[in-house]
């Protein structure tokens, strides 16, 4: 069966673009979810795909999905593989590695737009835009290991979202291929009133409805100056109130992160004489950045500290990628049986303080430490980002701890009126809690899935859309 699949794929794309090499299959079997990393650590890698295919354009993706529908072959799209919610997994499936869709257009300077293939990585995008003095402003911590198509498919959000927004705000147009091979395109426009937006349906669809092949994104000039400020509080509730004041002000911060006392320890542990938290970090760019930073300090009512802590954050902002990888491979500070995970949720300002306390109080019973920061702010609410860690006595305990965390965390979030994911997405990991999150809307989504993907070939299990 699998050799027939490989033969068929080779005749569709050519031999060079179909891989059955064991190391390649294993590298595309899982993602950065704690479950997959635990499996790799135990030498028991997730189930490998039958083949990894590397199309180089929407036409080839169309041919692939036409064939996959006809043969009912499960398809898992793969960008950078940095999903932390079990977005990449399968059985008897093919993985479509999109790294060949790597073309970035010249910047349309007049309209401030760029068009990029789904497989373009963060560093490729930064390099291409930087040549003409532009940037995207989408800076997820996983910037260096993720792709344009992955950002769109997971509704990702970068660390500078206070100013530049989540990925959905940056999308001006989108091309995608549906199961069966049809291509849909939402025309590039500043805004449209042309009926329901099919392109928007693909944002956050996590590979369940089709494959995003090209995206047109809004870009911004690289700012010349940046002004930083850091203040401390006695209570996290004061830091949360300061975030709300900033989000509802006209000060337009670029970066706002409020760390609770425990997360402040992690943030500043490599500094000499680190301050005790909670700490609020802020950055401003553009016109009057310094004046806006000064106004923000006054508005927050916190105790001003040296701004160098914010510089320290900028310099180390993506260090958690290596830290997570080291700990989950069993070679980090948490020892050979470490379990480490992150859980980001969202809530309105009305519920946020209680959401913070109830999640923290419940989670801390099951981990060695639980830390939290507010990392994305809006006029109506914010994201709470929890980090959980435990040094376990064996990998069985590590796996059980992870299961417990997700059960307790998601249940508590829903009870406290929160939304179960702010930016990592649902994948297979959070699917059990999506019915309660979405209520009756989930049935509508399932009907859309049945209409677009009647054979259920696209990333089965993700979002729990397969239930009939
Ligand atoms: C250490 C670390 C830090 C992180 N920090 C952030 C952060 O700051 N902000 C944030 O939002 N996320 C973050 N993430 C999560 C992850 O990086 C994002 O979800 C990212 O958007 C995934 O992009 P990717 O290219 O790696 O996608 P993948 O992991 O390859 O895929 C993600 C999902 O989308 C599907 N998919 C991928 N490409 C396509 C496509 N072209 N068409 C259709 N479906 C597709 C996949 O099948 C999968 O279900 C972090 C992850 C790690 C490991």
């Amino acid at each position: 069966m699998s050799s027939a699949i490989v033969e068929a794929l080779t005749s569709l794309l050519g031999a060079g673009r179909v891989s059955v090499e064991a190391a390649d299959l294993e590298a595309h079997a899982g993602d950065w979810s704690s479950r997959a990393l635990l499996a790799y650590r135990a030498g028991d890698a997730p189930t490998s795909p039958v083949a990894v295919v590397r199309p180089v354009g929407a036409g080839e993706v169309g041919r692939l999905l036409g064939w996959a529908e006809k043969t009912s072959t499960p398809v898992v799209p793969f960008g950078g593989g940095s999903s932390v919610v079990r977005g990449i997994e399968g059985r008897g499936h093919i993985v479509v590695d999109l790294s060949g869709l790597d073309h970035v257009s010249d910047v349309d300077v007049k309209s401030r737009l760029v068009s990029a293939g789904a497989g373009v990585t963060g560093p490729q995008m930064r390099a291409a835009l930087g040549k003409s003095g532009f940037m995207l402003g989408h800076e997820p911590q996983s910037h260096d290991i993720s792709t344009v198509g992955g950002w769109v498919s997971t509704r990702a959000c970068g660390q500078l979202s206070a100013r530049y927004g989540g990925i959905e705000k940056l999308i001006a147009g989108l091309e995608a291929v549906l199961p069966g091979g049809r291509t849909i395109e939402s025309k590039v426009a500043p805004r449209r009133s042309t009926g329901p937006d099919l392109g928007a349906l693909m944002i956050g669809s996590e590979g369940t409805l089709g494959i995003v092949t090209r995206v047109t994104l809004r870009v911004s000039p690289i700012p010349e100056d940046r002004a930083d400020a850091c203040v401390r509080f006695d209570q996290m509730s004061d830091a949360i109130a300061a975030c709300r004041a900033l989000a509802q002000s006209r000060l337009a911060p670029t970066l706002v992160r409020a760390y609770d006392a425990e997360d402040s320890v992690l943030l500043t542990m490599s500094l000499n004489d680190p301050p005790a938290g909670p700490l609020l970090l802020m950055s401003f760019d553009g016109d009057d950045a310094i004046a806006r930073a000064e106004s923000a300090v006054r508005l927050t009512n916190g105790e001003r500290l040296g701004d160098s802590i914010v510089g320290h954050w900028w310099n180390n902002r993506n260090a958690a990628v290596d830290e997570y990888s080291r700990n989950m491979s069993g070679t980090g500070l948490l020892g050979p049986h470490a379990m480490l995970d992150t859980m980001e949720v969202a809530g309105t300002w009305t519920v946020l303080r209680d959401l913070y306390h109830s999640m923290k109080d419940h989670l801390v019973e099951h981990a060695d430490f639980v830390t939290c920061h507010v990392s994305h702010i809006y006029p109506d609410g914010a994201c709470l980002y929890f980090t959980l860690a435990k040094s376990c006595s064996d990998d069985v305990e590590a796996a059980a701890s992870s299961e417990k965390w997700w059960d307790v965390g998601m249940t508590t979030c829903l009870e406290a009126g929160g939304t179960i994911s702010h930016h990592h997405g649902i994948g297979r990991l959070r699917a059990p809690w999506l019915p309660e999150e979405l209520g009756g809307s989930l049935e509508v989504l399932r009907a859309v899935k049945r209409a677009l993907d009647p054979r259920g070939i696209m990333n089965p299990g993700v979002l729990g859309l397969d239930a009939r």
Side-chain angles (χ1 to χ4, degrees), residues 157-228:
C157 195
Q159 298 171 104
L160 312 183
S161 64
R163 181 136 175 117
Y164 299 99
I167 194 69
E168 69 281 3
K169 263 198 145 182
L170 301 175
I171 299 171
L174 182 154
E175 174 196 81
V177 179
L178 302 180
R182 253 177 316 170
T183 299
I184 56 164
E185 203 170 340
S186 65
K187 190 167 145 183
V188 178
R191 186 178 186 279
R192 62 180 76 80
S193 175
T194 52
D197 184 351
L198 279 185
L201 189 61
M202 300 306 293
I203 304 174
S205 62
E206 301 188 27
T208 60
L209 302 179
I211 294 188
V212 175
T213 45
R214 173 156 290 277
V215 189
T216 302
L217 293 156
R218 304 187 170 103
V219 298
S220 302
I222 298 172
E224 281 170 19
D225 300 316
R226 191 184 84 217
D228 297 335

Side-chain angles (χ1 to χ4, degrees), residues 365-380:
E365 287 175 29
H366 307 284
D368 290 344
F369 68 78
V370 178
T371 71
C372 181
H373 56 261
V374 175
S375 55
H376 304 272
I377 61 164
Y378 309 89
D380 48 349

Side-chain angles (χ1 to χ4, degrees), residues 77 79-83 87 98 140-142 147 150 153-154 156-157 206-207 212 423 459:
S82 70
S83 165
L98 293 152
Q141 202 172 50
S142 55
T147 61
S153 303
T154 58
C157 195
E206 301 188 27
V212 175
H423 56 266
N459 221 354

Side-chain angles (χ1 to χ4, degrees), residues 35-72:
R35 177 193 285 215
L37 295 183
L38 195 58
Y40 283 118
R41 170 165 103 199
D44 183 20
T47 307
S48 284
V50 174
V52 175
V53 291
R54 294 184 165 86
V56 294
E60 288 189 353
V61 173
R63 288 215 294 279
L64 270 172
L65 293 194
W67 167 86
E69 188 178 73
K70 231 180 269 155
T71 56
S72 293

